[in-house]
Amino acid sequence: MSQQTHRDRLVELRRELHRYPEPAWREFYTTSRIVDELETIGVDELYVGSEVLAEEERMSVPDDDELGRWYEQARQEGAREDILERLEGGRTGAIAVIDRGEGPTVALRVDIDGLLREESTNSDHVPATEGFRSEHAGAMHACGHDAHATIGIGVLEAIKDSNFEGTLKVLFQPGEEMVAGGKPMAKSGHVDDVDYLLAVHIGLDHPTGEVVAGVDGFLAVSHFLAEFTGEPAHAGGKPNAGENAVQAMATAIQNLYAIPRHEDGATRINAGDVGGGSATNIIPEHAYIEGEVRGETTHLKDYMQERANRVLEHAAAMHGCSVEQSTEGEAPSAESDEGLVEIIHDVSTETRGVENPIRRDTLGGSEDATYLMQEVQQNGGLAVYVGVGTDHPGGHHTSTFDVDEDSLPIAVDLLSSSIREIASKRP
C-alpha cells in the first residue's frame, strides 16, 4: 500500500467517525463501525460490549430513555443489528487481539467517545466546509477520539502485516470524557496478562511533527453530583416556611472554592454545572452541583474530595436541607515508565513526518487511561502515555476543534514500529 493510499484510507474512516459522534456509553454506531473494520482486517479474537467491561465498575451511565434514543439513532444510521444487541444498556466498546505466537503481550488503548457540544458551522472550519461536520445535534468529536479509533485500527492492520512476534491487544475504550470507562475496562481481566501498555492522544497543544514519548503530570480526578433537597413555600406569603435548597447550593459553592490548597502539590476544585429552583415565587426545594476535584496525586485528590464532602454536608445542614452525593467518574494519577519512553523516543527519531521528538511532557489534566496504566504496572508490567502532535485550530473541547489529518499516518507508523521494537527488546 502506498503512503498516499494509506493516508487516504485513514482519513476516510476518521471523517466517517467524525460525522457520528456519540458520548459516553452511547457509542453504539461507533462500536459497530469499529467491529466492521476489525472483521475486515481479520483479527484472531474479538470481544464486544459487556465482554470488555467489569459491569460493577461502570459510572455515569445515562438513563434508559437517553440510551434508547442514541441506540435507535445508531440503528437508523446503519449500525448492525447483531452488534447493537450486544451493546444494549450502553455496554459499548471492543477489544481486538492479534496472536503471533511466542512473545510478550502488548496493548494499545484508544478511546472512542465524543462530547456533548455543538460543532462550529464557521466557513473556516474544515469539517463544515468539507462535508463531514457532526450530524448529531449537540454532539461532536472535540478531542480527537475519532482520530484515536482510526489510529487503533491502522495499528492493528500494520501489525498484522508485519513480523511482530507476540500478542497485540487494541482496547477501544468507551466513556473517557466522563472518566467512566477506563476502570471498567481495566478491571475486566483483559489486561491481566499485558506486559506493556501504550495509550495515545493526539494534539495536547503539540503541533503536527512533534511526538512526546512519555506524558506525565496526570491529575487524579473525581467527578461528583450533589443534589440538595429542601422545603418549598410561597416566597411572598410564607417565606419562613421554606428551606431554600438554592441557598444551600450557593453556600456550598462559595466554600468549595475556599478549600485550602495543599502544600504537597497542585489541587483543583470546580463547580461546573449548577442549578435549581422552579419559579420566582417559590422557595426552591431542589438544587444541584455537578463538580470535580483534582490533585497532582491520588492522595491529594482524596484530600480535596474529603474536604468537599464536608463542605457539601455542612452547607446543606446550615440551611435546613439534606444533600445526596454520588461519584460520577474518577481516575487516579499515573507515570510513564522510562523503559518504554526510551524506546518510543528512539523510534520517533526514525519515523517519517516526526520533526521534533520530545522525551517527556506534562499533561496538566486528567485521563482514565491511568486506570489501565496502573493495572498493568501493579501486575509487574510497564505502561506509557504517548502524545502525537497535531495542528488543531481550536483548543480541545471547543466547537472549532479539528485535527491535521497528516498526523494520522504519523501516529500509526510511530505506534506500530514502537510495538514491534518493544516486543523484540522487552525492556
Side-chain angles (χ1 to χ4, degrees):
M1 185 185 298
S2 70
Q3 286 288 329
Q4 186 61 47
T5 301
H6 176 51
R7 180 189 184 280
D8 290 348
R9 186 173 181 282
L10 295 172
V11 167
E12 181 181 6
L13 177 57
R14 179 256 162 174
R15 291 189 175 194
E16 180 187 346
L17 295 175
H18 189 90
R19 289 170 59 202
Y20 303 108
E22 297 164 305
W25 305 126
R26 286 151 279 188
E27 305 97 329
F28 299 114
Y29 178 88
T30 305
T31 301
S32 178
R33 270 304 281 119
I34 288 169
V35 170
D36 286 342
E37 293 294 324
L38 298 176
E39 290 180 347
T40 298
I41 293 169
V43 298
D44 296 302
E45 298 173 35
L46 176 56
Y47 303 91
V48 177
S50 60
E51 299 169 347
V52 307
L53 303 167
E55 177 67 26
E56 68 278 6
E57 302 293 354
R58 293 206 303 155
M59 297 174 281
S60 294
V61 180
D63 61 35
D64 290 343
D65 289 343
E66 173 76 356
L67 289 172
R69 182 171 70 84
W70 286 87
Y71 187 95
E72 184 58 34
Q73 178 177 259
R75 173 187 282 127
Q76 294 175 4
E77 290 168 345
R80 285 166 44 183
E81 196 66 38
D82 62 322
I83 299 302
L84 285 174
E85 291 175 358
R86 300 169 69 180
L87 307 177
E88 286 188 355
R91 295 167 180 86
T92 47
I95 295 177
V97 181
I98 290 179
D99 186 351
R100 288 294 176 268
E102 291 297 320
T105 298
V106 184
L108 171 66
R109 177 271 200 177
V110 293
D111 42 17
I112 65 174
D113 55 323
L115 283 155
L116 286 170
R117 70 162 306 136
E118 192 73 20
E119 184 163 10
S120 173
T121 59
N122 292 349
S123 59
D124 58 351
H125 184 55
V126 173
T129 58
E130 295 290 328
F132 64 98
R133 180 184 176 274
S134 170
E135 296 186 17
H136 294 165
M140 71 172 288
H141 274 294
C143 202
H145 297 188
D146 51 339
H148 297 169
T150 301
I151 290 164
I153 290 166
V155 169
L156 269 168
E157 198 167 38
I159 290 297
K160 184 177 180 184
D161 294 337
S162 76
N163 60 356
F164 170 80
E165 294 182 0
T167 300
L168 172 67
K169 298 184 178 185
V170 178
L171 318 176
F172 295 90
Q173 183 211 300
E176 186 280 328
E177 295 294 359
M178 298 295 293
V179 286
K183 188 175 184 180
M185 192 165 273
K187 299 300 183 181
S188 68
H190 284 284
V191 299
D192 290 356
D193 63 345
V194 170
D195 300 300
Y196 308 108
L197 172 78
L198 290 75
V200 64
H201 207 298
I202 61 168
L204 305 179
D205 298 321
H206 291 275
T208 302
E210 281 191 357
V211 163
V212 181
V215 176
D216 297 303
F218 296 97
L219 298 179
V221 64
S222 180
H223 292 178
F224 65 84
L225 171 62
E227 297 176 287
F228 297 87
T229 302
E231 289 290 335
H234 192 284
K238 293 190 175 182
N240 55 295
E243 303 289 3
N244 194 319
V246 166
Q247 270 192 299
M249 175 195 74
T251 298
I253 292 171
Q254 182 178 14
N255 287 283
L256 286 171
Y257 285 102
I259 294 173
R261 305 301 89 172
H262 201 287
E263 63 183 337
D264 289 345
T267 53
R268 303 282 189 269
I269 183 86
N270 190 50
D273 181 6
V274 304
S278 57
T280 60
N281 61 349
I282 299 175
I283 302 294
E285 62 183 307
H286 295 299
Y288 70 90
I289 301 172
E290 289 189 50
E292 63 174 27
V293 294
R294 304 193 195 218
E296 188 173 330
T297 64
T298 303
H299 169 73
L300 289 171
K301 183 267 294 181
D302 291 343
Y303 159 82
M304 293 298 290
Q305 190 165 13
E306 180 183 343
R307 294 295 183 99
N309 291 345
R310 189 170 70 188
V311 165
L312 293 165
E313 290 287 347
H314 286 281
M318 180 179 178
H319 295 284
C321 298
S322 61
V323 62
E324 183 176 339
Q325 301 179 53
S326 58
T327 299
E328 301 295 295
E330 60 183 356
S333 57
E335 293 185 4
S336 293
D337 287 303
E338 179 60 26
L340 296 184
V341 170
E342 183 176 354
I343 289 177
I344 293 166
H345 181 264
D346 289 346
V347 170
S348 70
T349 64
E350 304 295 330
T351 300
R352 183 194 300 267
V354 177
E355 300 168 355
N356 186 22
I358 300 170
R359 288 188 63 85
R360 289 184 180 264
D361 194 12
T362 57
L363 180 68
S366 304
E367 238 280 16
D368 68 357
T370 53
Y371 269 120
L372 292 151
M373 294 172 70
Q374 282 200 355
E375 192 75 14
V376 170
Q377 290 167 333
Q378 288 168 4
N379 289 335
L382 302 180
V384 68
Y385 194 95
V386 183
V388 178
T390 192
D391 297 332
H392 46 88
H396 288 273
H397 293 206
T398 67
S399 65
T400 57
F401 181 84
D402 190 26
V403 303
D404 176 5
E405 291 166 334
D406 285 342
S407 62
L408 298 175
I410 293 174
V412 170
D413 293 347
L414 171 74
L415 294 169
S416 57
S417 297
S418 295
I419 288 167
R420 292 195 303 272
E421 192 73 3
I422 289 165
S424 65
K425 288 190 173 180
R426 303 189 189 189

